[in-house]
PDB file of all heavy atoms in Angstrom:
ATOM      1  N   LYS A 226      10.436  -4.869  27.012  1.00 95.00           N
ATOM      2  CA  LYS A 226      10.882  -3.483  26.937  1.00 95.00           C
ATOM      3  C   LYS A 226       9.815  -2.556  26.369  1.00 95.00           C
ATOM      4  O   LYS A 226       9.513  -1.513  26.956  1.00 95.00           O
ATOM      5  CB  LYS A 226      12.145  -3.391  26.080  1.00 95.00           C
ATOM      6  CG  LYS A 226      12.695  -1.977  25.926  1.00 95.00           C
ATOM      7  CD  LYS A 226      13.912  -1.973  25.015  1.00 95.00           C
ATOM      8  CE  LYS A 226      14.429  -0.553  24.821  1.00 95.00           C
ATOM      9  NZ  LYS A 226      15.552  -0.496  23.840  1.00 95.00           N
ATOM     10  N   THR A 227       9.232  -2.924  25.248  1.00 96.00           N
ATOM     11  CA  THR A 227       8.288  -2.054  24.559  1.00 96.00           C
ATOM     12  C   THR A 227       7.116  -1.681  25.471  1.00 96.00           C
ATOM     13  O   THR A 227       6.467  -2.542  26.049  1.00 96.00           O
ATOM     14  CB  THR A 227       7.754  -2.745  23.288  1.00 96.00           C
ATOM     15  OG1 THR A 227       8.854  -3.028  22.419  1.00 96.00           O
ATOM     16  CG2 THR A 227       6.755  -1.861  22.561  1.00 96.00           C
ATOM     17  N   GLY A 228       6.877  -0.378  25.603  1.00 95.00           N
ATOM     18  CA  GLY A 228       5.759   0.105  26.405  1.00 95.00           C
ATOM     19  C   GLY A 228       6.087   0.436  27.838  1.00 95.00           C
ATOM     20  O   GLY A 228       5.217   0.897  28.585  1.00 95.00           O
ATOM     21  N   SER A 229       7.339   0.261  28.255  1.00 95.00           N
ATOM     22  CA  SER A 229       7.685   0.446  29.664  1.00 95.00           C
ATOM     23  C   SER A 229       7.549   1.892  30.143  1.00 95.00           C
ATOM     24  O   SER A 229       7.430   2.142  31.346  1.00 95.00           O
ATOM     25  CB  SER A 229       9.123  -0.035  29.919  1.00 95.00           C
ATOM     26  OG  SER A 229       9.249  -1.412  29.672  1.00 95.00           O
ATOM     27  N   TYR A 230       7.565   2.846  29.208  1.00 96.00           N
ATOM     28  CA  TYR A 230       7.475   4.251  29.625  1.00 96.00           C
ATOM     29  C   TYR A 230       6.056   4.654  30.012  1.00 96.00           C
ATOM     30  O   TYR A 230       5.866   5.660  30.698  1.00 96.00           O
ATOM     31  CB  TYR A 230       7.992   5.172  28.514  1.00 96.00           C
ATOM     32  CG  TYR A 230       8.181   6.608  28.956  1.00 96.00           C
ATOM     33  CD1 TYR A 230       9.285   6.987  29.720  1.00 96.00           C
ATOM     34  CD2 TYR A 230       7.244   7.593  28.644  1.00 96.00           C
ATOM     35  CE1 TYR A 230       9.452   8.290  30.139  1.00 96.00           C
ATOM     36  CE2 TYR A 230       7.402   8.911  29.057  1.00 96.00           C
ATOM     37  CZ  TYR A 230       8.517   9.252  29.808  1.00 96.00           C
ATOM     38  OH  TYR A 230       8.675  10.550  30.229  1.00 96.00           O
ATOM     39  N   ASP A 231       5.070   3.891  29.613  1.00 93.00           N
ATOM     40  CA  ASP A 231       3.679   4.274  29.849  1.00 93.00           C
ATOM     41  C   ASP A 231       3.413   4.558  31.323  1.00 93.00           C
ATOM     42  O   ASP A 231       2.781   5.553  31.674  1.00 93.00           O
ATOM     43  CB  ASP A 231       2.744   3.177  29.342  1.00 93.00           C
ATOM     44  CG  ASP A 231       1.285   3.554  29.500  1.00 93.00           C
ATOM     45  OD1 ASP A 231       0.898   4.625  29.010  1.00 93.00           O
ATOM     46  OD2 ASP A 231       0.532   2.786  30.118  1.00 93.00           O
ATOM     47  N   GLU A 232       3.920   3.706  32.197  1.00 94.00           N
ATOM     48  CA  GLU A 232       3.670   3.887  33.636  1.00 94.00           C
ATOM     49  C   GLU A 232       4.497   5.030  34.218  1.00 94.00           C
ATOM     50  O   GLU A 232       4.271   5.441  35.356  1.00 94.00           O
ATOM     51  CB  GLU A 232       3.973   2.598  34.387  1.00 94.00           C
ATOM     52  CG  GLU A 232       5.409   2.141  34.273  1.00 94.00           C
ATOM     53  CD  GLU A 232       5.624   0.760  34.872  1.00 94.00           C
ATOM     54  OE1 GLU A 232       4.659  -0.032  34.898  1.00 94.00           O
ATOM     55  OE2 GLU A 232       6.762   0.487  35.302  1.00 94.00           O
ATOM     56  N   ARG A 233       5.440   5.577  33.430  1.00 96.00           N
ATOM     57  CA  ARG A 233       6.278   6.667  33.924  1.00 96.00           C
ATOM     58  C   ARG A 233       5.775   8.040  33.499  1.00 96.00           C
ATOM     59  O   ARG A 233       6.341   9.061  33.910  1.00 96.00           O
ATOM     60  CB  ARG A 233       7.710   6.490  33.427  1.00 96.00           C
ATOM     61  CG  ARG A 233       8.284   5.119  33.686  1.00 96.00           C
ATOM     62  CD  ARG A 233       9.573   5.178  34.435  1.00 96.00           C
ATOM     63  NE  ARG A 233      10.204   3.876  34.545  1.00 96.00           N
ATOM     64  CZ  ARG A 233      11.506   3.698  34.553  1.00 96.00           C
ATOM     65  NH1 ARG A 233      12.318   4.717  34.400  1.00 96.00           N
ATOM     66  NH2 ARG A 233      12.019   2.479  34.698  1.00 96.00           N
ATOM     67  N   CYS A 234       4.771   8.078  32.647  1.00 97.00           N
ATOM     68  CA  CYS A 234       4.224   9.372  32.229  1.00 97.00           C
ATOM     69  C   CYS A 234       3.719  10.128  33.459  1.00 97.00           C
ATOM     70  O   CYS A 234       3.002   9.573  34.291  1.00 97.00           O
ATOM     71  CB  CYS A 234       3.086   9.186  31.233  1.00 97.00           C
ATOM     72  SG  CYS A 234       3.612   8.673  29.583  1.00 97.00           S
ATOM     73  N   LYS A 235       4.104  11.384  33.556  1.00 98.00           N
ATOM     74  CA  LYS A 235       3.715  12.197  34.707  1.00 98.00           C
ATOM     75  C   LYS A 235       2.361  12.868  34.501  1.00 98.00           C
ATOM     76  O   LYS A 235       1.580  13.006  35.446  1.00 98.00           O
ATOM     77  CB  LYS A 235       4.773  13.274  34.971  1.00 98.00           C
ATOM     78  CG  LYS A 235       6.204  12.758  35.113  1.00 98.00           C
ATOM     79  CD  LYS A 235       6.370  11.880  36.325  1.00 98.00           C
ATOM     80  CE  LYS A 235       7.838  11.716  36.707  1.00 98.00           C
ATOM     81  NZ  LYS A 235       8.737  11.393  35.589  1.00 98.00           N
ATOM     82  N   VAL A 236       2.093  13.333  33.263  1.00 98.00           N
ATOM     83  CA  VAL A 236       0.838  14.048  33.024  1.00 98.00           C
ATOM     84  C   VAL A 236       0.015  13.470  31.869  1.00 98.00           C
ATOM     85  O   VAL A 236      -1.211  13.530  31.902  1.00 98.00           O
ATOM     86  CB  VAL A 236       1.086  15.553  32.763  1.00 98.00           C
ATOM     87  CG1 VAL A 236       1.525  16.265  34.024  1.00 98.00           C
ATOM     88  CG2 VAL A 236       2.084  15.773  31.636  1.00 98.00           C
ATOM     89  N   TYR A 237       0.661  12.916  30.863  1.00 98.00           N
ATOM     90  CA  TYR A 237      -0.069  12.459  29.683  1.00 98.00           C
ATOM     91  C   TYR A 237      -1.066  11.357  30.047  1.00 98.00           C
ATOM     92  O   TYR A 237      -0.695  10.353  30.667  1.00 98.00           O
ATOM     93  CB  TYR A 237       0.892  11.946  28.618  1.00 98.00           C
ATOM     94  CG  TYR A 237       0.182  11.477  27.362  1.00 98.00           C
ATOM     95  CD1 TYR A 237      -0.419  12.395  26.507  1.00 98.00           C
ATOM     96  CD2 TYR A 237       0.063  10.126  27.065  1.00 98.00           C
ATOM     97  CE1 TYR A 237      -1.107  11.980  25.379  1.00 98.00           C
ATOM     98  CE2 TYR A 237      -0.613   9.704  25.939  1.00 98.00           C
ATOM     99  CZ  TYR A 237      -1.201  10.631  25.092  1.00 98.00           C
ATOM    100  OH  TYR A 237      -1.882  10.200  23.987  1.00 98.00           O
TER     101      TYR A 237
END
Side-chain angles (χ1 to χ4, degrees):
K226 180 182 178 185
T227 300
S229 297
Y230 191 77
D231 183 54
E232 61 188 27
R233 309 235 187 147
C234 287
K235 307 295 197 313
V236 289
Y237 181 71

